[in-house]
Amino acid sequence: MLCAANLPVLAHAQDAAASTDSSGGVDAFDYGNEIIVTASKRSQTLQDTPIAVSVASAAEIENAQIRDLIDLQSAVPSLRVSQLQSSANTNFIIRGFGNGANNAGIEPSVGVFIDGVYRSRSAAQIGDLPNLERVEVLRGPQSTLFGKNASAGVISIVTQKPQYDFGGSVEATYGNFDAITVKGNVTGPISDTAAFSIGGNYNRRDGYAYDVNLGTDVNDRNRWGLRGQLLFEPTDALSIRLIADYDKIDENCCIAGNVIAGPTVAITNALAGGPSVDANNPFSYRVYNNFLSTNEIENYGGSAQIDYDLGNLALTSITAYREVRADTNQDSDFTSADLIGQNSQQLGIDTWTQEVRLTSDFDGPVNFLVGGYYFNEKIDQKNDIRFGTHFRPYGDQLIRAASDNALNVAMLEGTLGALEGAPTKYVGSFFRAGDGLDEAYRMSNTAWSIFGTLDFEFTDRLMLTVGANYTKDRKRFATNVISNDVFSGVNLDAAAYTPFRQALLIGAGVDPATAAFLAANPTMTLPDGSSANPLAGLKAFQFLPPFLNLPNAVEDGRTNDSDLAYSARLSYELTDTVNVYATYATGFKASSVNLSRDSRPLAADLPAITSGGLRTPNLVAGSRFADPEESEVYEAGLKAQWSVAALNLAVFKQSIKGFQSNIFTGTGFALANAGKQSTFGIEFDGSVRPVRGLNLTLAMTYLDPKYDSFVNSAFGDISGTKPAGIADLSMSLGGTYTHEFAGGTRAIFHADYLYESPVRIVEGLQGIPQAVADSLKREVNQLNASFTVALTNGLEVGVWGRNLTNAQYLTTVFPAVAQSGSVSGYPSQPRTYGGTVRFKF
């Protein structure tokens, strides 16, 4: 199992105390050593680190065939990773808390750091890194050890430094779906005071799904990357580590299957001239689209880490600059009918960060860490969404169905134009192919923080650690969105249409006097809750209304947040092998900005917008941004390690006030703050070695989450309910057996099993009865295994399989785009297997 929190392996290959195998790497099966982690920004054993953290060593990542961060969840039960509609949209969730996908203006609640450098969006996090040393997953709010606040947790990825002994490895894998993966790295000395390393990776795979309409495989993989490092150590006190990397993704992703076929499927089938979806069968991996989705992503940058030893003080500086360029397009109606002809995005993210830390190492009872952090990011995003050739006849059928065939597109165009005195004004313009939205968004984010911790060692066994982080965060954002969706710009409440509304009411059996009154007061609500306007039902088809851009006279397009987060932790060494700790900590995440076509003024701003003459047709209230998240955790834990067994136990109550919820409604996303979301949880992981060579592990997480308060959700007041997608019980059970033959050859068998108890996938679905939405559940039963033979000359040959049980579950579901009553969902990946040859030298 990947979760190495209980395996006594040494994570630092450069430590002279580590035993090595014949290839020069760390021997993951030397039971005399301990895991060294830097979660506390100091090198400590895992047992001595009073933080809830899981650690995966490089050896375990190899044995478990962890291909990327998405696979990491199979061994860390508190972590959940979901890939959504593109390769650049991946959501990380720890202890049930997480967000950040689907909108570049939403910073994730789970922070991802690679070699100490913060990666602000998932497009910059998903590359296949060569030569990993370890992955640390820190659970709960992390503020006082990281300059960049993370309100839910941190994933810290550490790659191996350049070595002064020449060596490296090369690896090739072939698997089903014609999967080919090649990785390699080499490291060695340049001089007595300088070393280098360079690594590369190539990862391609045919699609595991089939597009019946286009006659081609889809959901393929095609990515490669390079990573180079230089290490300069001119003196014993000074170390300079330079890193540069480049990753490229160019693949077709991601399919959505049809979960519920609603009434619009009959329309899309007729328009497509045959099946437009594989109805009610999301796990057939047979989809119907009218153009291939594309994901072209470049992620590159560099960093410089300078460490200077001042004796009892250590100074660290990390400077980094990164760029992300993503160009995506998707047939987002997920049917072979040409409804959405284009839904593209060109995204550019430029990020510069600077961190400075000073850490003490005194013999006395008091030690400290103090640091400063600066973050500067610019986002430039352009989107285009266009109606396809079938959207006009599709819209016509929707209007006919909504009006019991009393209306159609051509009648509306002629009638509304005539009432405005221009009979041909709208002819042929409603739902016209090629019409839609041209979108442009810009955001600049500047943040800085001062953070630190102070350790008081009362006795050799009792320590108090307090910490604080003061953060200042400012964002400026602007939009330039232009709609040429003609029908969405029509005000169906306009006075000019009064005769038309009156005629419709009389035709529906309303007496003339009442009809005249209602037609003149179309915004009035009737006693049964319906609208007085007989055209009101058509407003649901005004998909892309005119956009009120900002900054404007009422909305300045700025946020300005500040916060003081703090923590207190008491740790006590009960014995030489058992430690306990208790923690109280807070965390913070600044406001997130709604950089999407669903950005709408706050309800409180509408009166000023109206009085200022800024109101656009069909403008409704929504959100421009979500207020900050403030997290809090109470936690108690126990860590123990003996010669043949180890365990970690944590009990916690964690909450986030103002959790930033971003829910898809079928035509867009609703960004809103939950009043408060809290979770009570218990985490356990342990290992035992009953005989030499055999290591058994078990990790379990129990979560009991709820919305303490969420009045303004996309589905109304859901206060007191359980958040969707968070399993009560997650468990990872694993075992590794190593047999060493005479002469040193080793055979290594590894297996791990992931279980997640059944859980409701979504809080609700627009246009779907709540009971039906509640019935959509996810349960995970996934088995992974590998068998490797390692020869004494550095050659390793192995076979592996992931999801050997071919577990099928929906990672998420959502209302089908502009298809009321239909539901789409992202299915899990099918079984994969293959063989690997690796040579270490």
Side-chain angles (χ1 to χ4, degrees), residues 161-162 164 193-196 229-233 239-242:
K161 289 182 179 180
Y164 287 98
T193 59
F196 78 96
Q229 299 189 58
L230 291 173
L231 179 65
F232 299 98
E233 297 179 315
S239 173
I240 302 172
R241 184 183 184 188
L242 305 179

Side-chain angles (χ1 to χ4, degrees), residues 113-174:
F113 293 77
I114 300 179
D115 289 325
V117 176
Y118 177 62
R119 303 289 184 97
S120 65
R121 299 296 187 277
S122 60
Q125 302 163 356
I126 56 177
D128 300 336
L129 292 174
N131 206 21
L132 283 176
E133 183 174 290
R134 67 185 182 279
V135 178
E136 302 174 4
V137 180
L138 288 72
R139 307 186 291 271
Q142 306 296 325
S143 299
T144 60
L145 296 173
F146 294 84
K148 189 63 177 175
N149 265 297
S151 57
V154 160
I155 301 172
S156 179
I157 300 169
V158 181
T159 66
Q160 190 179 84
K161 289 182 179 180
Q163 304 293 296
Y164 287 98
D165 293 326
F166 183 79
S169 68
V170 61
E171 171 186 318
T173 295
Y174 182 78

Side-chain angles (χ1 to χ4, degrees), residues 594-616:
N594 197 352
L595 297 183
S596 78
R597 66 182 66 101
D598 308 303
S599 175
R600 298 288 185 271
L602 298 174
D605 289 331
L606 283 180
I609 288 170
T610 302
S611 63
L614 299 174
R615 190 149 191 162
T616 58

Side-chain angles (χ1 to χ4, degrees), residues 212-234:
V212 179
N213 188 52
L214 298 175
T216 185
D217 292 334
V218 289
N219 262 45
D220 65 347
R221 176 152 290 182
N222 184 22
R223 53 185 64 174
W224 62 273
L226 293 171
R227 184 177 180 85
Q229 299 189 58
L230 291 173
L231 179 65
F232 299 98
E233 297 179 315

Side-chain angles (χ1 to χ4, degrees), residues 575-819:
T575 69
D576 291 342
T577 57
V578 179
N579 296 347
V580 294
Y581 68 91
T583 298
Y584 173 78
T586 67
F588 172 76
K589 188 178 82 166
S591 298
S592 287
V593 177
N594 197 352
L595 297 183
S596 78
R597 66 182 66 101
D598 308 303
S599 175
R600 298 288 185 271
L602 298 174
D605 289 331
L606 283 180
I609 288 170
T610 302
S611 63
L614 299 174
R615 190 149 191 162
T616 58
N618 300 318
L619 182 66
V620 297
S623 66
R624 299 290 200 183
F625 58 90
D627 289 328
E629 292 181 353
E630 296 182 353
S631 56
E632 179 182 61
V633 66
Y634 297 86
E635 182 175 321
L638 179 146
K639 292 173 178 280
Q641 183 164 331
W642 301 280
S643 59
V644 296
L647 68 87
N648 295 326
L649 178 67
V651 181
F652 63 89
K653 180 65 178 290
Q654 186 171 326
S655 63
I656 294 183
K657 293 181 180 178
F659 180 75
Q660 297 166 359
S661 170
N662 192 44
I663 301 296
F664 185 65
T665 62
T667 55
F669 288 87
L671 176 63
N673 289 101
K676 183 180 180 181
Q677 179 182 339
S678 65
T679 299
F680 169 79
I682 302 173
E683 296 167 329
F684 168 86
D685 56 82
S687 70
V688 62
R689 294 177 297 280
V691 297
R692 180 169 179 80
L694 177 62
N695 192 77
L696 303 175
T697 57
L698 172 66
M700 301 177 65
T701 297
Y702 168 78
L703 299 175
D704 182 19
K706 70 173 180 178
Y707 286 123
D708 302 82
S709 174
F710 198 176
V711 176
N712 298 315
S713 82
F715 313 104
D717 186 354
I718 57 174
S719 302
T721 65
K722 178 180 178 178
I726 307 173
D728 291 342
L729 179 64
S730 300
M731 177 182 69
S732 184
L733 175 68
T736 301
Y737 179 70
T738 303
H739 180 76
E740 186 165 342
F741 297 92
T745 296
R746 294 180 299 162
I748 307 164
F749 176 75
H750 170 87
D752 61 75
Y753 173 76
L754 173 66
Y755 170 76
E756 292 183 10
S757 60
V759 63
R760 181 177 56 132
I761 302 177
V762 288
E763 268 99 32
L765 294 164
Q766 296 289 347
I768 300 295
Q770 188 63 45
V772 176
D774 289 343
S775 70
L776 298 175
K777 296 184 182 296
R778 177 181 65 237
E779 181 179 6
V780 179
N781 290 275
Q782 180 174 320
L783 175 66
N784 311 305
S786 68
F787 177 73
T788 303
V789 176
L791 305 178
T792 56
N793 61 359
L795 181 65
E796 298 179 4
V797 180
V799 293
W800 55 270
R802 293 194 61 81
N803 191 18
L804 291 172
T805 53
N806 205 28
Q808 295 181 337
Y809 54 91
L810 294 166
T811 60
T812 189
V813 297
F814 54 93
V817 175
Q819 300 165 70

